[in-house]
Amino acid sequence: MHAAKGDHLVQHGRVVGQHDQVTEVVEVLGQGGDPPYRVRFADGREAVMSPGPDCEVRHPQDRTQQ
């Protein structure tokens, strides 16, 4: 998984009724776009995240095509 500043991480809900959680990558802490990432939640909180297999990266060009 590779991400850059401004990309969105989408963590898919794992149980029925649980919504996807979308965060914005504000800093890449790994080398070459690798995790961990500092992310910002919609409410302004920030955290360091190493995404698992239930996550996907959405690049800005991908979001404009949806």
Side-chain angles (χ1 to χ4, degrees), residues 24-47:
E24 179 184 358
V25 176
V26 294
E27 182 181 5
V28 177
L29 302 171
Q31 294 181 1
D34 289 334
Y37 308 115
R38 181 174 308 282
V39 297
R40 183 176 297 130
F41 295 85
D43 64 3
R45 292 177 299 126
E46 291 187 2

Side-chain angles (χ1 to χ4, degrees), residues 1 5-6 8 11-12 14-16 23 27 31 34 43-45 50 53 55-57 59 61-62 64:
M1 175 176 293
K5 184 176 178 180
H8 285 178
Q11 183 175 11
H12 298 290
R14 294 190 281 174
V15 295
V16 174
T23 57
E27 182 181 5
Q31 294 181 1
D34 289 334
D43 64 3
R45 292 177 299 126
S50 290
C55 289
E56 70 173 295
V57 175
H59 306 286
Q61 63 271 20
D62 296 341
T64 59

